[in-house]
Amino acid sequence: MSGNPDFDTYRLSEDHEAIREAVRAVAEDKVKPYAAAVDEESRYPQEAHDALVASDFFAPHVPEEYGGVGADALATCIVIEEVARVCASSSLIPAVNKLGSMPLLLAASDDVKQRYLPPLAAGESTFSYGLSEREAGSDTAAMKCKAVRDGDDWVLSGQKSWITNAGVSEYYTVLAVTDPDGPRGNNVTAFVVERSDEGFSFGEKERKLGIKGSPTRELHFDRCRIPGDRVVGEVGAGLKIALATLDHTRVTIGAQAVGIAQGALDEALAYVKERKQFGKNIAEFQGVQFMLADMAMQLEAARQLVYVAAAKSERGDADLPFFGAAAKAYASDVAMQVTTDAVQLLGGAGYTRDFPLERMMRDAKITQIYEGTNQVQRIVMARQLLKG
């Protein structure tokens, strides 16, 4: 029976296992030693950045034709998961590189792809994504940032909020209203903006609960002129491209959540085997064992859902919107639960910065919020169910 291909689909390929082993080695050696300092100092994880570039895990999703390694969606999720296991802030580097460049992969002309994907693959720049605004978060179609045509160029005015790795990235995919009187949802266009563009600037860094190593800032556009050849896809198709992008990249947030939860479970397991109370290791108490069993069970369920969603992303299956939303919502809820329980298992020690669990708990929270709140994910899932 073991050679039956139907059963092989429920086992990662040797290539995927080899990628996990390689990323784990990089993460343990080059990312984990700096994770606490990155959080404490709220600084960009440059050590992780450099290590990911050196090992080709920086933007592994970029196809080979653009100088990338062409990792499939599942392999990319494994990269993000393994980095998040030791440092959630660092895992946002490959995750946001995919988010920022996915609109190009889905819709851009070959000229735009040839211009921006090779530098990303080479590690010359991260790639950020500008969709949300102060008053247009879950309601993306309510955005006010606009682009007005001027000859062959476009002139951008407005702002974007909550932009991951803003100020670090050279490139930004930015969504702006190009037809204010047009039908809602069909009046937005995607553009590539470069950090050096005149009239483009950044707000102050947000002071956040978690993922402190990943800078989050506003983008400000003050009559920022963009050449016409930087439009991504069709004029007016921007929101459709943005939502299709999220169908794919929500899966990567699920992978990040799985990684954070795995890191927390690992730490908790190590602690309960060593910690003694009432004359024995606390791992011997049934109450503790039940907590560990629930944590591991939920984590494995989340992992399997993320991997199935990643396979659907790779194939472009019609039911990806449901599975992407389900993977992101379930895995992030599990990450919050598992990290909270892990802090509990360490007791007072879990509440201190001497152990990484309080950081993991803080980092886990954002996975329930960004790339669509878990409430929005449930709306997406329900719509898919009702459509049949």
Side-chain angles (χ1 to χ4, degrees):
M1 290 292 286
S2 62
N4 187 325
D6 291 341
F7 288 96
D8 287 343
T9 57
Y10 287 92
R11 180 171 55 201
L12 287 183
S13 70
E14 287 181 10
D15 287 348
H16 287 120
E17 291 292 8
I19 286 167
R20 185 189 301 283
E21 198 176 317
V23 186
R24 185 169 294 188
V26 171
E28 288 288 332
D29 190 35
K30 302 275 174 54
V31 180
K32 188 175 183 176
Y34 306 101
V38 160
D39 176 73
E40 194 77 38
E41 298 161 23
S42 297
R43 67 169 175 83
Y44 184 70
Q46 192 63 46
E47 298 90 350
H49 177 116
D50 295 343
L52 291 167
V53 171
S55 55
D56 278 337
F57 296 132
F58 177 76
H61 69 285
V62 177
E64 290 177 10
E65 63 196 284
Y66 304 109
V69 293
D72 61 39
L74 179 52
T76 302
C77 279
I78 289 170
V79 170
I80 292 163
E81 176 190 340
E82 287 298 325
V83 177
R85 194 168 149 264
V86 300
C87 179
S89 291
S90 299
S91 72
L92 278 164
I93 296 170
V96 173
N97 282 339
K98 181 165 182 176
L99 175 63
S101 61
M102 196 74 205
L104 278 67
L105 289 166
L106 289 173
S109 66
D110 196 55
D111 175 58
V112 170
K113 289 179 187 171
Q114 290 287 2
R115 210 177 329 161
Y116 292 108
L117 295 177
L120 173 64
E124 292 167 16
S125 170
T126 50
F127 214 127
S128 292
Y129 185 66
L131 176 61
S132 296
E133 296 178 10
R134 291 184 204 117
E135 302 303 325
S138 296
D139 183 10
T140 51
M143 71 175 69
K144 297 281 190 284
C145 184
K146 65 180 183 180
V148 178
R149 202 189 288 267
D150 183 19
D152 291 336
D153 300 344
W154 292 85
V155 178
L156 261 69
S157 301
Q159 62 85 226
K160 293 290 171 182
S161 296
W162 314 114
I163 308 307
T164 306
N165 290 346
V168 173
S169 295
E170 288 291 335
Y171 307 135
Y172 301 78
T173 299
V174 174
L175 285 298
V177 175
T178 45
D179 181 8
D181 302 319
R184 179 183 159 100
N186 291 309
N187 62 347
V188 170
T189 304
F191 301 88
V192 177
V193 180
E194 299 181 8
R195 187 168 64 172
S196 57
D197 288 335
E198 199 171 337
F200 176 32
S201 62
F202 305 100
E204 292 298 309
K205 286 184 186 176
E206 303 289 351
R207 296 179 298 162
K208 306 188 302 270
L209 174 74
I211 57 164
K212 292 184 177 184
S214 180
T216 305
R217 301 167 76 170
E218 289 193 341
L219 311 182
H220 297 150
F221 304 101
D222 180 12
R223 295 195 53 77
C224 175
R225 185 171 291 273
I226 306 294
D229 61 4
R230 292 213 223 135
V231 171
V232 177
E234 299 293 321
V235 172
L239 207 58
K240 288 189 180 71
I241 295 165
L243 296 178
T245 292
L246 293 174
D247 285 337
H248 290 277
T249 58
R250 279 172 180 147
V251 186
T252 66
I253 301 304
Q256 182 187 50
V258 166
I260 295 168
Q262 183 67 64
L265 180 59
D266 293 346
E267 294 285 343
L269 279 167
Y271 185 85
V272 299
K273 289 176 187 173
E274 296 291 325
R275 169 79 168 159
K276 282 189 162 55
Q277 288 289 277
F278 305 102
K280 54 184 174 181
N281 291 337
I282 62 171
E284 292 179 45
F285 293 109
Q286 196 174 54
V288 169
Q289 291 177 1
F290 281 7
M291 282 180 74
L292 292 167
D294 282 338
M295 291 158 76
M297 176 171 62
Q298 292 164 352
L299 171 56
E300 286 305 330
R303 180 178 280 118
Q304 296 309 315
L305 186 51
V306 168
Y307 288 4
V308 167
K312 288 179 177 292
S313 169
E314 185 63 28
R315 293 191 299 262
D317 288 357
D319 56 0
L320 172 63
F322 176 89
F323 277 87
K328 189 269 185 194
Y330 185 73
S332 58
D333 284 349
V334 165
M336 198 68 239
Q337 182 67 50
V338 168
T339 54
T340 303
D341 285 349
V343 168
Q344 187 73 20
L345 284 169
L346 268 70
Y351 207 69
T352 69
R353 292 186 182 181
D354 299 332
F355 291 86
L357 288 166
E358 60 84 32
R359 181 184 84 237
M360 292 172 173
M361 182 178 167
R362 288 185 286 108
D363 289 345
K365 183 63 207 170
I366 192 60
T367 64
Q368 295 179 306
I369 297 171
Y370 60 14
E371 292 214 29
T373 64
N374 284 4
Q375 287 71 26
V376 164
Q377 306 308 325
R378 287 168 169 84
I379 292 170
V380 171
M381 285 185 270
R383 279 182 185 160
Q384 295 297 313
L385 290 170
L386 292 168
K387 267 168 49 175

